[in-house]
Amino acid sequence: MENLIFPADFVWGVSTSAFQIEGAPGEDGRGPSIWDGFGPEPAGDATDHYHRYADDVALMADLGVDAYRMSFAWPRVQPGGSGPANPRGLAFYDRLLDEVCAAGIAPVGTLYHWDLPLELEEAGGWLNRDTASRFEDYAAILADAFADRVKMWIPLNEPVVTTVYGYAIGEYAPGKALLLDALPTAHHQHLAHGLAVRVLRAAGATSVGTANHHSPVWPASGSEADRAAADWLDALLNGLFADPVLLGRYPEELLPYLPPDCADDLPVIAQPLDFYGVNYYEPQGAAAPGEGNPLPFELRPIEGFPRTTNHSPIVPDGLRELLVRFAARYELPPVYVTENGCSFDGVHDPERIDFLERHLAALRAAMDAGVDVRGYFVWSLLDNFEWSKGYAPRFGLVHVDYETQRRTPKDSFAWYRELVSR
Ligand code: GBH
């Protein structure tokens, strides 16, 4: 830890998302979302944060973090995804934000972390351009209600994951396997982002950014064909989600898969941001497509690194590589790592401490190379519902016993507390 020297005003935080922790699916008028009942293990009560939020804020106060990144559940705020706000849904976030602020912690609010109101999915979800307009209305409700307390705003979490896992391969809700026909969902999410940025600013929000998932893409070999495949996958996973926002254009090779008039929306999409939030977990391998593969690439696992219980290769330097590359390619606003973390079992979790330590050293190296990084958020405060993987992977600094909902801070919690207090 001694080597991890960060600026005095560096923002230390933790991240969560509504659906992964709240539970209380039918309470106070919350509508159904695409994730209710999706996947092999339903979320059910999750960590019951909806009722235990005060305990969880107390844990964060004890942890000593500067900021808390959470998300609002759209189906609590607008049960069917449109129309007037549900006052009881807003009241929960009102109580939560007051509690967070009273603890001296800055709330960072994500408007959308994947729990789309089911009614909107039935109308086409993110394949439907109109969902972006619905999102604009939703953003206006949250902006009016909470711009006085939320310090940093993030319209959408990881639109790449919605496009790829939700609509292209169907591992995540809504479970569509459209392959490259999923790409219009990227454009509609970008439009939703841009419309929300405008609405948030109009309501007085002074810090609006992103939480984009990015991965360095590594070719399986030095061959021309593998490198071309890696470039294509890089355009899909990184360029498609960063270029429109930061450069005001789409990667050339993806234009055939996007709505024909998408360029008209780029001025709304490319509004200047106050920060660029990056979620980093692991690099992605790519190789030239084999016989019969309709895609221009093939995914390859990254070999030669230790893995988490969720089978992610642990590659701390990928974070430095990614940030340095981004800073060279784009004129970035201040950067925040809005998520980074790992799944390991047990309350004694030296593996997580090692993971965080090494990723922070890589982050420090990126800063030494000139990248303007202002903060870092651990994914996650609590063990929680890990989407299609259910409750098996444990990402928390705090252990949750799902039988009793008892919270137990892990060794990594004590380690992070020490780090952020220096
Ligand atoms: C983040 O996604 C999410 O923002 C967060 O909600 C999540 O809990 C966290 O990572 C930890 O995973 O093998 O089909 O189950 C990171 C990107 C993309 C990583 C999908 C896991 C596995 C898909 N994620 N991937 S699957």
Side-chain angles (χ1 to χ4, degrees), residues 1 67 74 105 139 158 188 219 283 337 406 412:
M1 193 185 286
W74 191 348
I105 298 168
E158 300 185 348
H188 299 147
V337 175
R406 197 178 139 189
S412 56

Side-chain angles (χ1 to χ4, degrees), residues 74 77-85 117 119-120 134 137 141:
W74 191 348
V77 175
Q78 287 178 299
S82 60
E119 216 170 287
L120 294 185
R134 300 285 66 74
D137 294 348
I141 293 171

Side-chain angles (χ1 to χ4, degrees), residues 392-415:
R394 291 181 173 273
F395 278 88
L397 296 175
V398 176
H399 179 273
V400 177
D401 176 335
Y402 295 112
E403 296 288 307
T404 61
Q405 296 293 358
R406 197 178 139 189
R407 275 82 164 133
T408 309
K410 303 179 187 179
D411 290 351
S412 56
F413 180 101
W415 180 86

Side-chain angles (χ1 to χ4, degrees), residues 16-17 20 35 69 113-114 157-158 160-161 165 169-172 211 213-215 279-282 310 312 338-343 379-380 384-390 393 395:
T16 66
S17 89
Q20 294 176 273
W35 271 98
R69 176 173 171 240
H113 199 126
W114 307 351
N157 180 67
E158 300 185 348
V160 65
V161 172
Y165 288 86
I169 63 171
E171 285 289 324
Y172 282 6
H213 182 268
H214 289 298
S215 300
N279 295 356
Y280 172 73
Y281 289 89
E282 66 204 270
N310 204 23
S312 289
T338 34
E339 281 181 33
N340 177 234
C342 55
S343 62
W379 182 272
S380 185
N384 60 55
F385 177 70
E386 179 54 25
W387 308 111
S388 293
K389 297 279 166 61
F395 278 88

